[in-house]
Amino acid sequence: MAKKVKEIRVRLAPSPTGALHLGTARTALFNYLFAKKNKGKFILRIEDTDFERSKSEYEKEILQELNWLGIEWDEGPDVGGPFEPYRQSERIEIYKKYLEKLIEEKKAYYCFCSQEELEEMKNYYQSLGKAPKYSGKCANLSEKEAKKLIAERKPYVIRFKVPEKKVVFNDLIRGKIEFDASLFGDIVIAKNFLQPLYNFAAVVDDYEMKISHVIRGEDHLSNTPKQILLQKALGFDEVQYAHIPLILGSDRSKLSKRHGATAVSSFRKDGYLPEAICNFLSLLGWNPGDDREIFSLKLLIKEFSLEKIQKSGAVFNSARLDWINGFYIRNKKLSDLVELILPYWLNVGVIHETDFKNKYLCPAINEIVDDNYLKTIIQTYQTRIKKLSEIVFETDFFFKEIEYEKDLLKWKENSFEEIKKQIDNLIKILSEIKERDWNREEIEKAVLKEANKLTDRGAMLWPFRVALTGKKGSAGPVEISSILGKQKTIERLEKAVGKLGA
Ligand code: GLU
């Protein structure tokens, strides 16, 4: 008879004590990819046993951002599943049962030591030059003594009797790992029967939820031997572990707020696309074994494997993220990009909605613009922007009167007279183009005809750009003038002449 292959079941177990961090999103992604690749299940479990720090807003945000990233889970607090509930605060009875079992089997005990006593113990070990750990004092209390103290309402915690032995396991990324558990001392696994702590609750849930692989950040490596010992004590099956390398900042220290934004929501607000973030995160620690850099989720599912995850830390390179995001922006369907970009203009008030569909008020110049106009601007900038939010600054000159210093019009060593001459010439040739012929091709033909007569085309094209945009960098002046329209183009050129004459 063929051996029944155990179903692959992995989980993301975030604590809702803050926004969804990029590192957690990457852990989610790797778990998701591993599950999909192996036709397994990806479970979302909310670890909210820290009642003081856990907040439902954070849980909501975590789910929302994961959804936005397109990382879907098969079981979780919102979608349910066969091992409900998926929120630890709703599983207290389950943990209680296992805590009682450990106490009954004398694998765990009540500890009544006060903070002062624990502090003294710590100092004692330190004075001996040893790592501090719990002395095991309360392990020797008889059941009767413990019951008496409980009846007297003496505060206690529950400690697990950590076997004094070596724990060896095979990490799927890091290989053989060994810990000396005699250094741990007996660890606290619950504050009381209603308040289990992370290591204990996670072990119970991984078992109850039939988790086959725990894929998580390397910062959890030191928890693993404790969890393995707890599994053994409870008679649970072993799970496989894979600890993924940390994400590092450019100074090679663990990526944190010090390095800038780390919350997925900040990247979303800044205008990074979910497919770009997933693509970028996938390459933080994993590599396909060649130099490809663009991976859709579908392709990642096909190519992903734990064997291709590196052991060393993965440096967060924001230039790479921008490059990848730019790629996805360039490849977006224009109508989709318009949908994504409009909120940026609306949010900062560059345009306002009106009662008419597809018509917007542009308050700075008190004009109504239509969505075709906006669409053309977006199309012109689609290849230039690296993140959606850049549209606001890059294209501001379409929506307001521009301000700039006269010096900006200067091209290389050319005198102001020289520049004025070029602008006058532009006004002349552009005025000759009929309103109905005002399009990119015609403008380009006329402008290049003149510009090509010069030894340096920049002498005409540079002041042309500045006069229209007030900026050093922008899309080409021909494209811009075609969008701005004849009247505005000539007005802006005349304004430049005015500046130069002053
Ligand atoms: N609640 C833990 C965290 O948010 C989960 C660790 C684990 O995956 O076991 O870091």
Side-chain angles (χ1 to χ4, degrees), residues 53-259:
R53 292 176 58 226
S54 298
K55 294 212 161 57
S56 60
E57 303 95 270
Y58 290 135
E59 177 186 319
K60 218 170 119 202
E61 173 176 340
I62 291 168
L63 267 68
Q64 192 183 306
E65 299 304 328
L66 286 171
N67 263 321
W68 175 73
L69 286 170
I71 301 175
E72 292 166 355
W73 47 97
D74 303 291
E75 297 166 28
D78 54 340
V79 289
F83 301 102
E84 278 176 322
Y86 291 91
R87 204 176 276 118
Q88 288 191 328
S89 56
E90 295 163 19
R91 301 174 62 78
I92 299 300
E93 283 305 310
I94 304 175
Y95 309 126
K96 189 164 170 255
K97 190 178 83 188
Y98 287 108
L99 281 171
E100 283 167 353
K101 179 171 143 73
L102 284 179
I103 295 240
E104 215 163 277
E105 294 174 359
K106 306 221 178 319
K107 291 174 179 164
Y109 58 89
Y110 300 99
C111 170
F112 301 91
C113 292
S114 64
Q115 273 313 319
E116 295 78 58
E117 277 175 283
L118 294 172
E119 198 60 36
E120 258 173 51
M121 250 178 244
K122 194 170 141 195
N123 294 339
Y124 171 71
Y125 278 105
Q126 271 168 348
S127 71
L128 297 179
K130 290 186 177 167
K133 62 175 186 180
Y134 181 65
S135 68
K137 184 180 166 204
C138 291
N140 305 318
L141 286 176
S142 70
E143 209 179 311
K144 211 169 130 204
E145 282 168 313
K147 284 215 169 111
K148 186 168 162 274
L149 290 170
I150 293 171
E152 286 168 9
R153 300 197 171 271
K154 191 145 165 66
Y156 67 85
V157 293
I158 299 172
R159 283 189 190 269
F160 171 54
K161 266 192 205 161
V162 175
E164 302 223 322
K165 60 179 193 183
K166 290 223 161 22
V167 181
V168 184
F169 63 96
N170 179 45
D171 186 277
L172 295 173
I173 295 165
R174 313 181 64 81
K176 186 176 159 191
I177 300 210
E178 207 176 299
F179 279 94
D180 181 0
S182 69
L183 301 173
F184 299 158
D186 294 344
I187 57 168
V188 180
I189 53 171
K191 289 189 186 165
N192 54 53
F193 283 104
L194 302 180
Q195 280 183 283
L197 296 182
Y198 158 68
N199 274 316
F200 177 75
V203 163
V204 169
D205 286 344
D206 287 343
Y207 169 73
E208 289 267 329
M209 295 178 180
K210 295 198 180 345
I211 299 301
S212 62
H213 294 71
V214 168
I215 305 170
R216 62 183 170 198
E218 193 192 295
D219 43 339
H220 283 289
L221 196 57
S222 60
N223 287 320
T224 304
K226 297 170 187 164
Q227 296 185 2
I228 290 176
L229 291 171
L230 277 165
Q231 272 159 17
K232 291 216 166 94
L234 288 160
F236 295 165
D237 295 343
E238 273 179 33
V239 298
Q240 303 252 45
Y241 290 93
H243 288 90
I244 54 186
L246 295 180
I247 303 180
L248 309 176
S250 48
D251 58 357
R252 301 200 69 88
S253 69
K254 188 178 166 187
L255 186 74
S256 69
K257 285 195 187 127
R258 250 183 337 108
H259 297 103

Side-chain angles (χ1 to χ4, degrees), residues 402-442:
I402 54 169
E403 296 300 334
Y404 59 93
E405 295 297 320
K406 168 179 159 183
D407 278 350
L408 201 60
L409 289 161
K410 213 162 173 346
W411 173 251
K412 293 187 179 164
E413 300 307 314
N414 288 0
S415 65
F416 282 129
E417 279 108 81
E418 193 58 51
I419 293 161
K420 184 169 175 293
K421 202 173 114 197
Q422 298 308 331
I423 300 183
D424 280 336
N425 197 10
L426 276 168
I427 296 175
K428 184 173 152 282
I429 57 169
L430 293 175
S431 301
E432 283 163 11
I433 300 177
K434 292 201 182 73
E435 197 66 64
R436 62 163 197 271
D437 294 332
W438 188 263
N439 60 46
R440 215 170 124 175
E441 291 71 37
E442 290 301 318

Side-chain angles (χ1 to χ4, degrees), residues 365-384:
I365 43 178
N366 201 21
E367 277 177 24
I368 298 284
V369 294
D370 68 13
D371 61 346
N372 266 330
Y373 181 72
L374 301 175
K375 202 168 161 180
T376 318
I377 295 174
I378 293 171
Q379 188 175 29
T380 309
Y381 275 80
Q382 182 163 14
T383 53
R384 295 184 63 88

